[in-house]
């Protein structure tokens, strides 16, 4: 290896911008890394060496011609295989989409390209971003799940195959795989990243997200990709330091009892490090009304999935897994009145959370129940993510240590709706206070 696979996104962008590094050399290094590990990790649903090198050379040609570089000039990215990509197979993790090659790209992919990036490869998704895993394995131990549904994106970034990858979260599909694989996963506020061209599952809950290896990297990517006017992007990047230690609310959440002992111990130890670094921490719990959040989330998700995938199910039921068919069948039994009530409850919970977080810079909470389970049959439990996805608030997980099986454990930081820039500043402070860098695993 050349060492280029260990570059942070920020360092790679700067070296590509000033011409200290060519995109062709950088891409060749990442291809070498990916090709050496892919037979073990299986992060990609589609990877074409010729395509990647041609795109890299085109980026170098644009720079040589004097074209003003975008924020992501020359960056190879991984794109979850439920984002449509022009001229590139998009399999959605399902045989129902075999041989599907779209004619246009998802809005987020198009925006990345406008900022100078290109699709390096399509990363493995669970079946239609739901439950049934693809072939991806955890880069720290291939006998363990990498999490889902954005399994390939998390594994590729954590293993040093890529500096940046796209995912989506409808329940826990950015935060959980990032925590299991030991990288940074960011699910921004609902509506801040474009969903057009992403295979829908539950439009109310579907939220795109990003994987990198540091908070600063994710801030750079988010600034390049977020929706809205340029001043909103400039608010995010450069990532300014906090002018004081943060005020944090510690929320174990209603499912704390489901966390494994090692995860509970890691969480308590991480809080001690944050306090020692100067954070003002208040241990509290969400109001009792949040006990209904998981049921509200499931009602909305099942009802909307049945409608979003109803035609596909009726035409190709045999191509869908039994577990997906059962969930869609459940969704078809939910009536309009029940989902209207669930959506109203969601609004109530959003208002309650806005009141709850007032006076705090962020919430810290576990991202997952513990280390990645030793199975490839399922992708783990999203239970520690459900509330934050339902609310549509920004959430980020960062590596915080290793568990007893030498697999990563993370810490989740949650912010106020539409205050993503502040959450990222808080998260970088937390990252520096935790002072844990897992490095890149060598399976």
């Amino acid at each position: 290896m050349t060492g280029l696979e260990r570059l942070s996104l920020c360092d790679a962008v700067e070296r590509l911008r000033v011409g200290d590094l060519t995109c062709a050399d950088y891409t060749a290094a990442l291809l070498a890394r990916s090709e050496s590990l892919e037979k073990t990790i299986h992060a990609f649903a589609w990877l074409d060496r010729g395509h990647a090198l041609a795109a890299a050379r085109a980026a170098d040609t644009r720079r040589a011609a004097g074209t003003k570089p975008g924020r992501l000039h020359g960056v190879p990215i991984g794109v979850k295989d439920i984002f449509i990509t022009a001229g590139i197979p998009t399999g959605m993790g399902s045989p129902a989409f075999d041989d599907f090659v779209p004619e246009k790209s998802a809005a987020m992919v198009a925006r990345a390209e406008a900022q100078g990036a290109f699709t390096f490869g399509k990363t493995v998704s669970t079946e239609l971003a739901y439950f049934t895993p693809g072939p991806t394995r955890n880069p720290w131990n291939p006998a363990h799940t990498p999490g889902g549904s954005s399994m390939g994106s998390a594994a590729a970034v954590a293993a040093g195959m890529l500096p940046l990858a796209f995912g989506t979260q409808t329940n826990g599909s950015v935060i959980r795989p990032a925590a299991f694989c030991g990288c940074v996963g960011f699910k921004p506020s609902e509506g801040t990243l474009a969903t057009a061209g992403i295979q829908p599952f539950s439009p109310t809950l579907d939220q795109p997200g990003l994987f990198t290896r540091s908070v600063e990297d994710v801030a750079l990517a988010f600034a390049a990709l977020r929706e809205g006017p340029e001043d909103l992007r400039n608010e995010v990047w450069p990532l300014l330091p906090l002018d004081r230690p943060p005020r944090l609310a510690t929320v174990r959440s209603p499912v704390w009892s489901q966390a494994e002992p090692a995860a509970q111990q890691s969480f308590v130890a991480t809080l001690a490090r944050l306090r020692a670094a100067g954070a003002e921490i208040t241990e509290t719990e969400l109001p009792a009304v949040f006990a209904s959040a998981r049921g509200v989330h499931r009602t909305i998700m099942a009802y909307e999935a049945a409608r979003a995938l109803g035609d596909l199910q009726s035409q190709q039921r045999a191509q869908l897994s039994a577990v997906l068919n059962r969930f869609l069948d459940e969704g078809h039994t939910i009536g309009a009145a029940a989902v209207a009530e669930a959506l109203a409850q969601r609004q109530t919970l959003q208002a309650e959370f806005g009141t709850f977080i007032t006076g705090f810079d962020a919430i810290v909470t576990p991202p997952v129940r513990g280390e990645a389970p030793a199975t490839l049959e399922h992708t783990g439990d999203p239970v520690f993510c459900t509330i934050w996805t339902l609310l549509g608030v920004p959430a980020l997980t960062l590596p915080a240590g290793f568990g007893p099986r030498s697999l990563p454990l993370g810490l989740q930081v949650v912010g106020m709706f539409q205050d993503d820039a502040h959450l990222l500043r808080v998260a970088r402070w937390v990252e520096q206070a935790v002072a844990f860098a897992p490095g890149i695993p060598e399976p």
Side-chain angles (χ1 to χ4, degrees), residues 51-386:
H51 171 91
L53 288 174
R57 288 192 290 267
D60 288 332
T61 298
R62 290 194 299 273
R63 185 187 179 282
T67 303
K68 181 180 178 181
R71 291 178 187 254
L72 297 176
H73 164 70
V75 174
I77 58 173
V79 177
K80 184 177 180 178
D81 202 27
I82 65 165
F83 288 70
I84 62 171
T85 42
I88 296 174
T90 300
M92 312 289 184
S94 169
F97 286 88
D98 283 351
D99 303 320
F100 174 49
V101 181
E103 296 181 356
K104 61 182 295 186
S105 289
M108 227 173 107
V109 175
R111 177 155 189 84
E113 292 172 348
Q115 291 291 322
F118 65 90
T119 299
F120 177 90
K122 298 298 292 295
T123 55
V124 171
S125 169
T126 59
E127 179 194 26
L128 291 160
Y130 182 55
F131 182 86
T132 303
T136 309
R137 296 167 179 255
N138 193 299
W140 293 94
N141 186 328
H144 292 247
T145 179
S149 61
S150 307
M151 53 199 322
S153 289
V157 169
M161 297 176 174
L162 291 167
L164 170 65
F166 294 173
T168 61
Q169 179 158 309
T170 307
N171 195 348
S173 298
V174 170
I175 298 299
R176 183 169 82 262
F180 283 169
C181 291
C183 61
V184 172
F186 179 48
K187 182 203 75 64
S189 291
E190 173 192 349
T192 55
L193 292 177
T195 58
I198 302 172
Q199 172 62 41
F201 194 85
S202 172
T204 296
L205 303 172
D206 296 340
Q207 294 158 38
L210 305 170
F211 297 89
T212 66
R213 291 193 294 275
S214 75
V215 174
E216 191 170 24
D217 284 354
V218 90
L220 170 60
F222 182 56
L225 297 167
R226 75 169 297 172
E227 294 290 287
E230 187 68 15
D231 62 336
L232 287 177
R233 290 185 280 278
N234 292 336
E235 181 183 282
V236 176
W237 185 263
L239 189 58
L240 301 175
L242 294 177
D243 57 8
R244 55 167 176 76
R247 293 184 291 270
L248 302 173
T250 298
V251 173
R252 285 172 167 78
S253 94
V255 292
W256 171 254
S257 63
Q258 297 187 37
E260 297 171 4
Q264 293 184 356
Q265 294 162 13
S266 174
F267 184 66
V268 171
T270 300
L271 294 182
R273 292 201 293 275
L274 298 179
R275 283 194 178 95
E280 179 185 327
I281 294 180
T282 300
E283 299 201 20
T284 184
E285 281 306 323
L286 294 168
V289 67
F290 282 88
S292 68
R294 292 175 68 194
V296 170
H297 178 277
R298 187 174 182 89
T299 296
I300 295 170
M301 185 168 74
Y303 176 90
E304 292 189 346
R307 275 79 193 161
L309 300 175
D311 288 345
L312 179 67
Q313 185 189 33
S314 65
Q315 295 165 12
Q316 301 199 54
R317 185 181 183 95
Q319 297 279 17
L320 306 183
S321 67
V323 68
L324 180 55
N325 274 316
R326 283 195 300 271
F327 188 71
L328 298 180
D329 291 344
E330 175 188 332
H332 286 301
T333 70
I334 298 171
V339 79
E341 174 60 24
L343 290 168
Q345 290 182 60
R346 177 178 184 252
Q347 290 185 324
T348 297
L349 293 173
Q350 288 172 320
E352 288 278 351
F353 182 74
T355 300
F356 175 81
I357 199 173
T358 299
F360 296 111
D361 291 295
I363 287 169
V364 289
T365 189
V368 287
R369 293 175 58 184
E371 291 172 285
T375 181
L376 302 175
E377 300 301 314
H378 65 83
T379 61
D381 194 332
V383 66
F384 279 96
C385 306
T386 302

